[in-house]
Amino acid sequence: MPAVESKKRPDKSGSSSSSASSPASRVPSSNFFYLRKPGSLRQPISFEDSPEWEDTDADVRVEEGGDSINAATAPVSPSLSKLNSGSLPSPPMPEGTAVTRKTAGASVVWKDLAVTIKGKRKYSDKVVKSSNGYALPGTMTVIMGPAKSGKSTLLRAIAGRLHPSAKMYGEVFINGAKTRLLYGSYGFVDRETTLIGSLTVREYLYYSALLQLPGFFCQKKSVVEEAIQAMSLGDYANKLIGGHCYMKGLARGERRRVSIARELVMRPRILFIDEPLYHLDSVSALLMMVTLKKLASTGCTLIFTIYQSSTEVFGLFDRICLLSNGNTLFFGETLACLQHFSNAGFPCPIMQSPSDHFLRAINTDFDRIIAMCKNWQEGPLLKSKGKASNATRIAVLTWRSLLIMSREWKYYWIRLILYMILTLCIGTVFSGLGHSLSSVVKRVAAIFVFVSFTSLLSIAGVPALLKEVKIYASEESNQHSGALVFLFGQLLSSIPFLFLISISSSLVFYFLIGLRDGFSLLMYFVLNFFMCLFVNEGLLLAVTSLWQNIFWSILTLVTIHVVMMLSAGYLRIRNELPRPMWKYPLSYIAFHTYSIQGLLENEYLGTNFAVGQVRTISGFQALHSAYDISQSSNSKWENLLVLFLMAIGYRILVFVLLHFHVRKNVSLHRIWQCRKSTT
């Protein structure tokens, strides 16, 4: 075997975490295969019997503390050339599927990469142990291994997507230089991606392009069409992702391709995909891999994980990195892997662990492989692509949310129907009250029931809000959105629907109950109820962002509303409530209190009621024994201002939860997946 001159060579003795560790310490009790030469099937090989690389002298220098790999020119190995001349059975590429646009890919090299995850005690055992590999433009590199072998962790480590609590050792080179991947230079597709079912494929990708890319809207349509063509989604472009009652949505295979197409609108040079065949049947898996192979042919560098594959799918891979319990058992050309196992005299399953002798041969020749890839390693540094401005993102999110809310019945249409039914019930129960002194207590009860029960019914919107939070988490992880952008987009898009609900419900209640005539009084009633819904929407969003779970969100909201109803001042006047808890602070943080108080002041301040034939009392005096209100003429506007400030306060709380808690939960979910892959 030709010598390889290097300033820094891998440790052949290695530790227990290295794939080059002692064979005696790594031999399993059963199912252990030795690699053998043809004609010597009964004799295990030694280190000198490892496959020979017949290339000329190569000089690989990894500078100590340097920022790049400098490799001398080396001809391609004849052995590899001989292997690459072979072929595996693979499906033919569909006619008419070639993508004319070429992508400038980038080479990726990871050397001695190890990952540990911080647990409750000290750092746990390494999830990934001294992994070496590379990926070239125009090729598909697959990280394969059994379940819980560290595939996703290795993929995230290469992409720079590990949580801060995870520690990474080793080096990652992009086009020969140690640098992190910048925004727009790569795309990352998680195993599970939340899509917006009420949008068509073309609409979903178009709004994603508007959120991600700078420039004019018209320039982004071509990018969307290229992504649709690249992922073979032309037949589904105008189909709703989630479908509706008269039309089925996309199948899992098409949904997975849509999630990949979302990243393609950035025209990334490197694309990372975690389990592209997740939950796909064999036919959908084959179609997915043929599509990815077509995408790689445009020049894009593809790196993805996979659990298992059929023979046809395996034939589409260019390089394979086999993992088992965090150890790299093999890295190299796919055909070379099969050739090496076939030389042993038997067809070895890919998921089976080979001998430590074979692993030493692979790790020893890693520097030589880097030298053979010299032309691909030296390239321009990747630059960050421009982002759409926050104002553009807010406008896009607002318009997209308006479109989604108008199509999804569970957002606001179902709430509008429920509010109308509830308002009709309350209005008919309290109809015909008249305007006498005896009707005051009954009107107070009607307004209390109206405000309290409509606020309680808004919990029906929790599933829709939870979906919005999940979409935000998915887009924020790829820097497509942000907490402030999402908050403003959701806020502006919800205002028209909340205003529609407040007007329709207020009109029905106002005239069925027979409240005081006057346009200004009616408009205040509508505005007060709108602010009540506005505050309640912020409360719903805050609790949903906190729990991110339907059951606990609904349980928490029901409890909060019941407590607020008890302290709102109707069941017992606020001045008579026990001070330590119910009056201070509960009655002051219950938005029901300010809404009901403002509506009653709007109705009764400035009115008089006859007591007998000679004496009259003011509306304040008539109401004083039933509800605690202020005599000031401006008090109803002060209550409206308090509601507005509470709405702002809840939005600030939502921003904090989105910025810290939701992001932390997403990271913890990734850590949980990493730990699950090693347990």
Side-chain angles (χ1 to χ4, degrees):
M1 184 180 295
V4 179
E5 300 176 4
S6 176
K7 292 185 179 180
K8 180 180 178 182
R9 298 187 58 87
D11 183 8
K12 294 187 181 65
S13 60
S15 62
S16 61
S17 63
S18 172
S19 57
S21 58
S22 173
S25 64
R26 303 267 318 272
V27 177
S29 58
S30 61
N31 297 329
F32 186 80
F33 297 137
Y34 286 94
L35 181 65
R36 297 179 292 270
K37 288 183 177 180
S40 59
L41 300 181
R42 297 184 179 276
Q43 298 178 0
I45 66 171
S46 64
F47 179 75
E48 288 75 13
D49 294 323
S50 58
E52 294 185 357
W53 303 90
E54 299 175 1
D55 38 347
T56 58
D57 289 343
D59 185 16
V60 183
R61 294 184 177 89
V62 183
E63 299 180 359
E64 297 290 345
D67 292 335
S68 63
I69 296 179
N70 299 316
T73 304
V76 177
S77 168
S79 299
L80 282 181
S81 302
K82 189 181 300 183
L83 288 174
N84 289 334
S85 62
S87 63
L88 285 171
S90 60
M93 300 296 285
E95 296 183 2
T97 58
V99 179
T100 57
R101 181 180 180 86
K102 293 294 182 180
T103 302
S107 66
V108 181
V109 175
W110 60 97
K111 186 172 180 64
D112 298 328
L113 197 64
V115 178
T116 58
I117 297 180
K118 188 176 182 180
K120 293 182 179 179
R121 303 177 225 169
K122 295 182 179 180
Y123 279 89
S124 61
D125 293 337
K126 292 181 179 179
V127 180
V128 177
K129 307 170 185 178
S130 190
S131 177
N132 298 304
Y134 64 95
L136 304 180
T139 64
M140 295 198 306
T141 301
V142 57
I143 302 172
M144 180 180 288
K148 307 173 185 177
S149 59
K151 302 185 298 295
S152 298
T153 305
L154 177 59
L155 185 73
R156 292 187 178 278
I158 299 170
R161 305 264 299 197
L162 290 173
H163 188 265
S165 63
K167 276 193 175 182
M168 186 185 80
Y169 306 90
E171 299 170 316
V172 177
F173 298 87
I174 308 298
N175 279 343
K178 285 199 301 185
T179 180
R180 65 184 183 88
L181 291 168
L182 302 176
Y183 175 80
S185 64
Y186 78 104
F188 193 98
V189 183
D190 277 305
R191 183 180 304 175
E192 295 183 2
T193 306
T194 304
L195 303 177
I196 304 175
S198 56
L199 296 180
T200 65
V201 172
R202 181 173 279 110
E203 289 172 342
Y204 178 74
L205 296 179
Y206 182 59
Y207 285 118
S208 296
L210 294 177
L211 287 174
Q212 300 178 53
L213 299 173
F216 297 102
F217 289 0
C218 58
Q219 298 175 346
K220 302 175 184 178
K221 292 184 178 179
S222 61
V223 178
V224 172
E225 296 304 321
E226 288 175 8
I228 291 174
Q229 182 186 9
M231 295 310 298
S232 303
L233 291 168
D235 295 337
Y236 309 96
N238 296 318
K239 189 174 182 179
L240 289 177
I241 296 175
H244 53 71
C245 54
Y246 302 108
M247 181 187 300
K248 291 181 63 177
L250 300 182
R252 283 179 174 174
E254 286 76 36
R255 284 172 173 261
R256 198 74 176 116
R257 281 186 276 156
V258 171
S259 63
I260 297 174
R262 186 187 72 173
E263 298 303 313
L264 292 183
V265 298
M266 284 293 295
R267 291 173 177 166
R269 302 177 66 175
I270 307 169
L271 184 60
F272 300 92
I273 310 175
D274 191 7
E275 296 281 1
L277 308 185
Y278 187 61
H279 282 171
L280 298 187
D281 56 64
S282 58
V283 176
S284 299
L286 180 58
L287 180 59
M288 169 67 76
M289 295 313 302
V290 170
T291 304
L292 292 179
K293 187 69 174 179
K294 177 188 68 175
L295 176 63
S297 67
T298 66
C300 184
T301 304
L302 265 66
I303 307 176
F304 54 87
T305 63
I306 196 171
Y307 175 69
Q308 61 183 4
S309 67
S310 62
T311 304
E312 293 81 5
V313 170
F314 187 84
L316 296 174
F317 303 152
D318 294 298
R319 290 173 190 85
I320 181 171
C321 178
L322 287 177
L323 292 183
S324 178
N325 194 28
N327 293 294
T328 301
L329 303 183
F330 175 86
F331 178 85
E333 305 287 337
T334 306
L335 293 174
C337 177
L338 295 179
Q339 185 68 39
H340 291 162
F341 277 92
S342 64
N343 288 341
F346 57 90
C348 181
I350 298 175
M351 309 308 296
Q352 194 67 263
S353 298
S355 69
D356 287 291
H357 295 98
F358 178 61
L359 297 178
R360 289 194 182 189
I362 298 297
N363 288 343
T364 302
D365 286 327
F366 175 72
D367 286 338
R368 193 188 315 280
I369 294 175
I370 293 182
M372 292 161 50
C373 304
K374 175 256 178 185
N375 292 333
W376 290 109
Q377 289 176 353
E378 295 179 358
L381 294 178
L382 300 187
K383 297 181 179 180
S384 176
K385 295 184 179 180
K387 297 182 181 180
S389 64
N390 285 337
T392 302
R393 288 184 171 187
I394 292 173
V396 171
L397 278 182
T398 301
W399 182 252
R400 188 183 74 176
S401 297
L402 282 171
L403 185 61
I404 296 170
M405 293 171 183
S406 63
R407 292 180 179 178
E408 288 272 3
W409 59 270
K410 62 183 179 181
Y411 271 79
Y412 289 104
W413 298 122
I414 186 65
R415 290 167 62 179
L416 177 61
I417 296 173
L418 292 175
Y419 275 43
M420 293 301 296
I421 294 174
L422 176 63
T423 306
L424 286 172
C425 293
I426 297 174
T428 51
V429 168
F430 290 95
S431 61
L433 295 179
H435 294 277
S436 62
L437 183 60
S438 60
S439 67
V440 172
V441 176
K442 297 177 182 177
R443 288 180 189 275
V444 173
I447 291 177
F448 170 79
V449 171
F450 175 71
V451 171
S452 301
F453 284 20
T454 51
S455 300
L456 192 61
L457 270 184
S458 63
I459 298 177
V462 167
L465 292 176
L466 180 60
K467 186 175 182 180
E468 285 195 24
V469 173
K470 289 183 177 179
I471 292 172
Y472 157 76
S474 176
E475 294 180 337
E476 194 275 339
S477 65
N478 285 340
Q479 303 181 43
H480 298 170
S481 181
L484 190 63
V485 172
F486 167 77
L487 189 61
F488 273 100
Q490 197 278 338
L491 174 68
L492 297 175
S493 60
S494 64
I495 287 177
F497 293 95
L498 294 178
F499 202 67
L500 175 63
I501 292 175
S502 61
I503 289 179
S504 56
S505 302
S506 297
L507 289 176
V508 173
F509 179 83
Y510 202 90
F511 291 107
L512 282 179
I513 299 299
L515 300 180
R516 289 172 59 192
D517 294 335
F519 182 76
S520 61
L521 299 177
L522 175 61
M523 287 298 99
Y524 177 85
F525 191 98
V526 172
L527 187 59
N528 182 289
F529 186 54
F530 168 77
M531 291 305 303
C532 179
L533 296 180
F534 198 45
V535 174
N536 195 35
E537 194 77 6
L539 174 62
L540 264 64
L541 192 56
V543 173
T544 305
S545 302
L546 175 65
W547 288 114
Q548 300 176 50
N549 178 277
I550 292 181
F551 174 78
W552 289 108
S553 297
I554 292 178
L555 182 63
T556 303
L557 287 168
V558 169
T559 303
I560 291 175
H561 277 85
V562 169
V563 172
M564 287 185 175
M565 290 165 62
L566 291 174
S567 59
Y570 169 72
L571 300 177
R572 189 174 182 182
I573 296 177
R574 186 161 67 170
N575 288 331
E576 298 178 359
L577 288 173
R579 289 176 177 268
M581 174 180 175
W582 291 100
K583 184 176 181 180
Y584 304 108
L586 290 180
S587 66
Y588 286 91
I589 63 176
F591 65 89
H592 302 64
T593 304
Y594 305 99
S595 179
I596 296 172
Q597 187 172 330
L599 293 178
L600 291 176
E601 290 168 349
N602 183 63
E603 177 67 17
Y604 287 106
L605 288 184
T607 61
N608 294 292
F609 293 92
V611 180
Q613 297 182 353
V614 294
R615 191 167 70 92
T616 60
I617 60 174
S618 64
F620 171 78
Q621 293 175 320
L623 192 62
H624 188 67
S625 60
Y627 202 89
D628 186 17
I629 64 173
S630 173
Q631 299 186 61
S632 173
S633 59
N634 295 324
S635 59
K636 68 177 185 180
W637 300 107
E638 293 173 358
N639 286 314
L640 200 63
L641 178 61
V642 172
L643 289 174
F644 176 76
L645 294 177
M646 293 182 73
I648 299 299
Y650 278 126
R651 261 63 184 192
I652 294 175
L653 176 61
V654 170
F655 173 79
V656 174
L657 290 172
L658 291 175
H659 191 70
F660 296 103
H661 184 70
V662 174
R663 180 182 298 177
K664 179 181 178 182
N665 279 5
V666 173
S667 300
L668 288 176
H669 178 68
R670 293 173 182 170
I671 293 177
W672 176 81
Q673 286 183 333
C674 294
R675 287 178 178 170
K676 186 179 178 182
S677 67
T678 59
T679 55

